[in-house]
Amino acid sequence: MAGPFLTTFPRRRRVLAVPVVFLLIWAFLPIETFNPPRRVLFGITTALAGKSTSDILQFVDPLIGTVNGGHVFPGATLPYGMAKPVADTNNYGEAAAGFVSDDSLIQGFSQLHDSGTGGNPSMGNFQLFPQPGCPEDNFTRCSYVVSERATSRINGSATARPGYFAIGLNNSIYVEMTATAHASLFRFNFPSEAEVPYMYAASSGESIPRTVPNSPLIIMDIIDLGNSRSGGDVKVNATTGRMQGGGKFRASFGQGSYEAYFCADFRGAEIRRTGTFLHEKATDSVQAIGALYSDVRIPHGSAGTWVQFVSAPKNQILARVGVSFISAAQACLNGEREIPDFEFSRVVTAAEVVWQEKLSVIKADHTGLNVDLLKTFWSGLYRTMLSPQDYTGENPLWQSDEPYYDSFYCIWDSFRAQHPLLTIIDPETQTDMVRALIDIYKNEGKLPDCRMSFSKGFTQGGSNADVVLADALIKNLTRGIDWTLGYEAVVSDAEEEPSDWSVSGRGGIESWQTLGYIPVDDDDRKGTGPLSRSISRTVEYAYDDFTIALMARELGHKADEAKYLKRSHNWKNLWRPDYDDHYRDKATGTIQGSSWKGFLQPRLRNGTFSEQTARMCSPVYEQHVCYFDTRHSTYEGSPWLYSFYVPQDMASLISLMGGPTSFVERLDYFHSSGINYMGNEPNFLPTFQFHYAGRPGRSAYWVHQYIPSLFNSSIAGIPGNDDCAMGAFSAFAFMGFFPVAGQNVYLLTPPMFREVSIRTPDGKGWTTLRNANFDSEYTNIYIQSAKLNGKQYTRNWITHDFFVDGGVLEFVLGPKESEWGTQKEDLPPSLSTGTI
Ligand SMILES: *[C@@H]1O[C@H](CO)[C@@H](O)[C@H](O)[C@H]1NC(C)=O
Ligand SMILES: *[C@@H]1O[C@H](CO)[C@@H](O)[C@H](O)[C@H]1NC(C)=O
Ligand SMILES: *[C@@H]1O[C@H](CO)[C@@H](O)[C@H](O)[C@H]1NC(C)=O
Ligand SMILES: *[C@@H]1O[C@H](CO)[C@@H](O)[C@H](O)[C@H]1NC(C)=O
Ligand SMILES: *[C@@H]1O[C@H](CO)[C@@H](O)[C@H](O)[C@H]1NC(C)=O
Ligand SMILES: *[C@@H]1O[C@H](CO)[C@@H](O)[C@H](O)[C@H]1NC(C)=O
Ligand SMILES: *[C@@H]1O[C@H](CO)[C@@H](O)[C@H](O)[C@H]1NC(C)=O
């Protein structure tokens, strides 16, 4: 029996010491538990050559980014799915999405999560937790509260695939899970012996070996990961074991709260007894707790229901957990409708089919690429479809026929690459997301910059939903989008300051309109919000206004177009040509820096410049002092970084920076000096901005510096929290183009595949990017010449119709930079050159 165990224990590190005692415990588990599809084990070798075909899912490793701050959700989910079950760990600093690939303890298996977010854990509501039995067969002696029940995992046992997650607990239970849109399905695998040895994790922190009579007990704790619940109700039906309940929880990076509900049903074993628990006290005489059922308001912390079974005849118990934001009754309906049969493998297969289909819009020639690169690409692509989450039909806030998406977490991160990617690979969903954003404007008065759990999230910089809407309009997303209302929404951002602009819209609108910049000493009387970030808000407002101008042009609002184009020059008002790059090195006390001059700098209302060290908030100098509520003039980045953020007029910026040669040297210095931090989304575009100075080859060069060294297939393989955007960066880079979000512009670099094709939105054709002289060692990374549908093509950028109409773009590659894409007429458009 050890044979199947070892060969099918599927994760990395399985050869490292798994205590022998475990082999024995595990040996008693049913063999089918350890029977992952053969393709997981053998598929990798067969797929190495040739085109990606049917079984692309083998290259998706959801565990990438589950340490090192990636905060990725690796559990079971459908694309944009609401139900997101996974194991929740107690490493709260890292467990933003529940699971962490380290040695932290597993405290439960909850139903709702947000993937890739920064900061605190988000959601993690309704934690199921199984125990094989209770000491002395006394249910009061089982563990109920998080701190007591948290159990170590079997090292290396975490297994994740699209639609499936599993992990072995050190209490002898192997837990598998899968999901539909609004329901999780768990398969708890119990040992078969009558007396089960297991490691009891005592609250003292000690692990005490025990045996318990085989009589599984499963608890449902209505806690969330952030322990933010207030109130709530929960009950269990003593006959059927059905559990229902809900509570009120706090939004993780925003204002306000939300209510969530669940409904759990069990199959596979006879019920012995049921009950409830409040903190560590469990009873079998009370079957319902909370204000709905009694005078007792459930206090903070662990509380919920439990059901104890006689030992399961097939050593498996299934738990179906429907979720809802409307009511527990709707949670029950969701579970019943989506998983009527409790067929675990059917649900897994259905999820695989959906993911397979989503990813089938891309065909890549895998020739020569190693498995690490393939996994980096496909897993990143997969992650771009985890969130925003589709909560259509689950919005308790207003009635609407529009789709409702939530977990725009945050648009400041996602507008740059994720939404433009979805526009190409999943335009239907991107269209629905745009409609949801406009419907949020209609019902809440403003577009969000960040939104999670039906709550307003904090605005990090500008009103960047403006860019998302502009991008969609320019790229002809139309189905059902009310562009009149959409335009009203972006104009509202630009013109009407909300009383609390920390969660929507913009602050300092009067200064913006009169001074043309956000002064560092702004005395904004119209609304309240953190008066920091004067540089980053200025450049973001300028770009947001630019994209509004593009919308105005598209929609025929001539006067608005002129007005917003004018404001889009406002970034220049913070340009301080003499400001240099010096700082005091903390370690040596000496003045360090470079000879680069000219940076965006904070400015007072009276016009006099103030200062912020150009490298402040970069990895080389005081990186962690520029957040939402800190006082500096930039947000999560340095003046060095923000001084490149002029996507609307790179030509002007390049001349301010001393012309193309100087600009290229300066951008190279930015990338090579440690000032750039690829773990954050504003740092994506500067990788490709060499294009604007006629050096597309330098962009290609830097792409290869970052992939795979910072974006790779290890569990630590994402340089910062994912926000579903890090994967979009690598996906674009692999495919050979990168969007200038909000414009009809993609900057071209050679695909990292010999050839890659993307299905056109009508589903009928393909857009192909192909390399001649491709070598998988990436020696030939420079475009020598290009042909678009057979005709010479010298522009270093391309427009969206290429992806709509289909066609073939062929590059000839070489080991040295060439003349290709370097001439004035080859450059991407800029305002000041009259090309926009
Ligand atoms: C179960 O344990 C509790 C607390 O340890 C004890 O009070 C109770 O008597 C026990 N029940 C039985 C049936 O032994
Ligand atoms: C699990 O394995 C990793 C190495 O793969 C090791 O660092 C860690 O200490 C192990 N944890 C336990 C609890 O054995
Ligand atoms: C798991 O339990 C075994 C005994 O059953 C114990 O020896 C081991 O230390 C435990 N592992 C962890 C990681 O706690
Ligand atoms: C438990 O469920 C059964 C079957 O649906 C139902 O008939 C019974 O009334 C329920 N019990 C309680 C206490 O609600
Ligand atoms: C602006 O205000 C600052 C600080 O109060 C002062 O030092 C500076 O001289 C003023 N500049 C002008 C032009 O008045
Ligand atoms: C993979 O990426 C991570 C995070 O960016 C990085 O720390 C690590 O060094 C990379 N690994 C390899 C082998 O390049
Ligand atoms: C959008 O549609 C219009 C009209 O059909 C067309 O002229 C334009 O080229 C399209 N734009 C893009 C980016 O596909």
Side-chain angles (χ1 to χ4, degrees):
M1 298 268 298
F5 169 64
L6 273 180
T7 54
T8 57
F9 209 57
R11 288 247 56 84
R12 62 180 65 91
R13 290 184 267 142
R14 68 164 184 262
V15 287
L16 291 172
V18 177
V20 170
V21 84
F22 279 107
L23 291 180
L24 293 175
I25 295 171
W26 283 86
F28 284 99
L29 289 174
I31 285 173
E32 62 184 299
T33 303
F34 303 113
N35 219 354
R38 277 176 197 287
R39 58 180 180 72
V40 173
L41 299 171
F42 305 116
I44 286 167
T45 44
T46 55
L48 260 177
K51 285 199 193 241
S52 63
T53 48
S54 60
D55 200 8
I56 215 63
L57 299 190
Q58 68 192 293
F59 299 113
V60 176
D61 182 355
L63 290 171
I64 296 172
T66 51
V67 287
N68 192 30
H71 296 182
V72 164
F73 168 80
T77 181
L78 291 180
Y80 322 107
M82 179 167 121
K84 280 191 160 55
V86 81
D88 291 310
T89 68
N90 68 354
N91 175 357
Y92 301 117
E94 183 80 32
F99 184 75
V100 185
S101 290
D102 63 3
D103 289 338
S104 54
L105 303 180
I106 310 289
Q107 64 177 54
F109 299 90
S110 70
Q111 323 306 320
L112 300 166
H113 290 93
D114 277 317
S115 189
T117 66
N120 299 325
S122 194
M123 302 211 270
N125 322 57
F126 310 127
Q127 299 182 356
L128 280 178
F129 190 80
Q131 294 166 67
C134 307
E136 282 129 44
D137 201 25
N138 180 337
F139 72 85
T140 69
R141 310 279 307 272
C142 261
S143 303
Y144 292 89
V145 287
V146 161
S147 57
E148 282 182 17
R149 69 178 189 249
T151 299
S152 57
R153 70 196 76 184
I154 306 291
N155 215 359
S157 67
T159 303
R161 314 192 294 267
Y164 178 85
F165 183 90
I167 193 162
L169 298 181
N170 204 10
N171 66 7
S172 82
I173 303 171
Y174 187 73
V175 184
E176 301 169 279
M177 62 214 73
T178 183
T180 56
H182 309 93
S184 319
L185 185 63
F186 295 87
R187 186 158 70 184
F188 297 108
N189 301 274
F190 294 93
S192 56
E193 317 97 298
E195 292 289 318
V196 184
Y198 91 118
M199 223 32 202
Y200 174 73
S203 51
S204 61
E206 265 181 291
S207 291
I208 305 166
R210 281 185 167 164
T211 64
V212 290
N214 188 331
S215 180
L217 182 132
I218 299 178
I219 72 167
M220 170 58 93
D221 188 342
I222 59 172
I223 202 167
D224 64 334
L225 266 169
N227 197 10
S228 78
R229 181 183 51 75
S230 54
D233 309 284
V234 60
K235 67 175 179 184
V236 57
N237 181 312
T239 315
T240 62
R242 169 171 278 194
M243 300 170 174
Q244 281 178 264
K248 190 173 185 177
F249 304 89
R250 270 200 311 272
S252 49
F253 182 65
Q255 291 173 353
S257 59
Y258 65 101
E259 286 176 16
Y261 304 90
F262 78 94
C263 175
D265 293 291
F266 301 89
R267 290 283 185 284
E270 206 178 300
I271 293 169
R272 259 180 95 189
R273 51 170 81 89
T274 62
T276 52
F277 66 97
L278 269 181
H279 297 172
E280 48 276 288
K281 289 223 165 16
T283 172
D284 59 355
S285 60
V286 178
Q287 307 296 323
I289 52 174
L292 257 185
Y293 312 113
S294 70
D295 294 339
V296 184
R297 191 180 153 81
I298 303 180
H300 262 303
S302 283
T305 43
W306 55 271
V307 54
Q308 187 169 28
F309 300 91
V310 297
S311 69
K314 292 183 180 156
N315 304 315
Q316 289 189 331
I317 294 177
L318 291 153
R320 176 186 71 194
V321 187
V323 284
S324 173
F325 295 106
I326 303 287
S327 65
Q330 178 144 332
C332 293
L333 283 178
N334 285 340
E336 287 162 4
R337 195 182 306 130
E338 295 178 7
I339 314 181
D341 53 0
F342 284 75
E343 274 297 327
F344 192 86
S345 50
R346 181 194 61 77
V347 178
V348 173
T349 305
E352 286 175 348
V353 167
V354 174
W355 277 113
Q356 189 88 48
E357 173 118 356
K358 280 288 180 203
L359 297 177
S360 71
V361 300
I362 292 173
K363 286 194 296 192
D365 184 339
H366 287 178
T367 308
L369 268 67
N370 63 41
V371 172
D372 284 335
L373 287 171
L374 296 178
K375 282 190 171 176
T376 303
F377 172 70
W378 289 107
S379 306
L381 199 64
Y382 162 86
R383 292 196 307 272
T384 66
M385 291 185 262
L386 296 179
S387 216
Q389 310 196 53
D390 186 355
Y391 292 173
T392 305
E394 290 290 340
N395 179 2
L397 300 179
W398 61 83
Q399 292 287 327
S400 171
D401 293 332
E402 286 299 278
Y404 182 78
Y405 279 74
D406 200 301
S407 298
F408 291 97
Y409 199 164
C410 295
I411 291 176
W412 184 85
D413 303 283
S414 62
F415 85 85
R416 304 164 201 268
Q418 187 201 6
H419 287 292
L421 182 70
L422 296 183
T423 299
I424 294 173
I425 66 170
D426 196 356
E428 292 300 306
T429 302
Q430 176 62 18
T431 301
D432 284 349
M433 287 178 185
V434 168
R435 287 170 60 171
L437 287 173
I438 293 173
D439 206 40
I440 291 167
Y441 163 74
K442 184 176 169 183
N443 289 280
E444 299 215 325
K446 283 287 178 197
L447 295 164
D449 187 57
C450 194
R451 187 175 179 85
M452 75 292 305
S453 319
F454 302 97
S455 303
K456 292 181 179 179
F458 296 117
T459 301
Q460 291 169 272
S463 48
N464 291 314
D466 306 345
V467 186
V468 176
L469 265 56
D471 200 70
L473 178 65
I474 289 161
K475 294 173 184 173
N476 278 348
L477 298 190
T478 48
R479 181 186 46 82
I481 301 178
D482 182 345
W483 279 120
T484 306
L485 198 54
Y487 186 67
E488 186 186 303
V490 300
V491 169
S492 165
D493 277 339
E495 303 296 333
E496 290 159 43
E497 181 165 329
S499 58
D500 177 1
W501 50 269
S502 68
V503 289
S504 58
R506 306 184 193 173
I509 284 188
E510 199 168 291
S511 300
W512 184 243
Q513 292 174 349
T514 55
L515 297 173
Y517 58 94
I518 299 299
V520 66
D521 59 344
D522 205 6
D523 73 337
D524 185 358
R525 304 275 161 94
K526 291 199 163 155
T528 52
L531 291 165
S532 53
R533 305 162 293 151
S534 64
I535 294 173
S536 49
R537 282 166 57 215
T538 294
V539 294
E540 290 191 21
Y541 293 174
Y543 190 62
D544 297 340
D545 278 347
F546 170 77
T547 64
I548 296 173
L550 296 189
M551 288 180 76
R553 177 183 298 179
E554 198 79 18
L555 297 168
H557 305 298
K558 283 266 174 264
D560 278 9
E561 181 188 338
K563 170 163 97 176
Y564 292 115
L565 280 181
K566 185 152 175 276
R567 286 195 204 163
S568 73
H569 294 287
N570 281 352
W571 62 275
K572 288 178 191 157
N573 295 328
L574 295 189
W575 185 257
R576 194 172 163 185
D578 59 332
Y579 194 75
D580 68 22
D581 178 33
H582 286 115
Y583 69 104
R584 184 174 294 276
D585 182 79
K586 286 230 181 75
T588 61
T590 54
I591 301 295
Q592 300 284 327
S594 71
S595 57
W596 295 107
K597 260 198 180 122
F599 290 94
L600 295 173
Q601 280 292 294
R603 198 170 182 188
L604 301 165
R605 271 177 290 157
N606 69 8
T608 298
F609 275 103
S610 159
E611 67 175 310
Q612 177 179 327
T613 307
R615 305 176 172 221
M616 178 175 266
C617 314
S618 78
V620 295
Y621 184 66
E622 300 205 20
Q623 182 171 16
H624 297 292
V625 297
C626 294
Y627 293 105
F628 180 69
D629 50 2
T630 46
R631 65 199 158 82
H632 297 294
S633 285
T634 50
Y635 181 82
E636 290 190 10
S638 57
W640 251 102
L641 167 69
Y642 280 101
S643 294
F644 288 114
Y645 191 62
V646 191
Q648 67 274 39
D649 198 359
M650 289 303 292
S652 281
L653 181 71
I654 288 167
S655 42
L656 281 181
M657 288 186 172
T661 308
S662 170
F663 174 85
V664 168
E665 279 173 29
R666 181 170 172 155
L667 194 50
D668 269 331
Y669 181 83
F670 173 71
H671 286 285
S672 57
S673 59
I675 301 174
N676 185 28
Y677 167 60
M678 285 306 284
N680 210 353
E681 286 74 2
N683 302 67
F684 291 171
L685 193 55
T687 309
F688 298 89
Q689 283 178 324
F690 298 96
H691 276 67
Y692 288 91
R695 291 286 297 279
R698 287 313 285 167
S699 302
Y701 171 84
W702 282 107
V703 162
H704 286 278
Q705 299 311 300
Y706 294 137
I707 302 174
S709 80
L710 293 178
F711 297 82
N712 56 59
S713 69
S714 72
I715 52 168
I718 308 179
N721 70 288
D722 184 45
D723 294 304
C724 303
M726 293 280 145
F729 171 81
S730 59
F732 275 124
F734 268 93
M735 294 192 293
F737 53 97
F738 194 82
V740 182
Q743 298 178 37
N744 190 6
V745 173
Y746 300 90
L747 309 175
L748 295 168
T749 50
M752 293 172 70
F753 299 108
R754 189 163 68 179
E755 178 175 323
V756 61
S757 300
I758 305 154
R759 194 182 288 148
T760 56
D762 62 9
K764 292 180 187 149
W766 292 91
T767 296
T768 297
L769 296 99
R770 182 180 297 151
N771 287 317
N773 298 340
F774 175 75
D775 75 304
S776 56
E777 300 298 308
Y778 298 124
T779 321
N780 299 332
I781 58 163
Y782 299 109
I783 298 172
Q784 310 294 302
S785 64
K787 277 185 179 167
L788 176 62
N789 297 325
K791 286 200 196 116
Q792 288 299 331
Y793 192 81
T794 60
R795 280 181 176 181
N796 66 29
W797 59 288
I798 201 155
T799 54
H800 188 67
D801 41 323
F802 177 50
F803 300 101
V804 173
D805 302 340
V808 181
L809 184 56
E810 291 174 283
F811 299 117
V812 176
L813 304 186
K816 296 229 161 68
E817 280 188 76
S818 74
E819 291 294 301
W820 179 84
T822 60
Q823 302 305 301
K824 243 193 176 111
E825 59 274 17
D826 302 332
L827 307 186
S830 274
L831 255 182
S832 59
T833 56
T835 45
I836 292 190

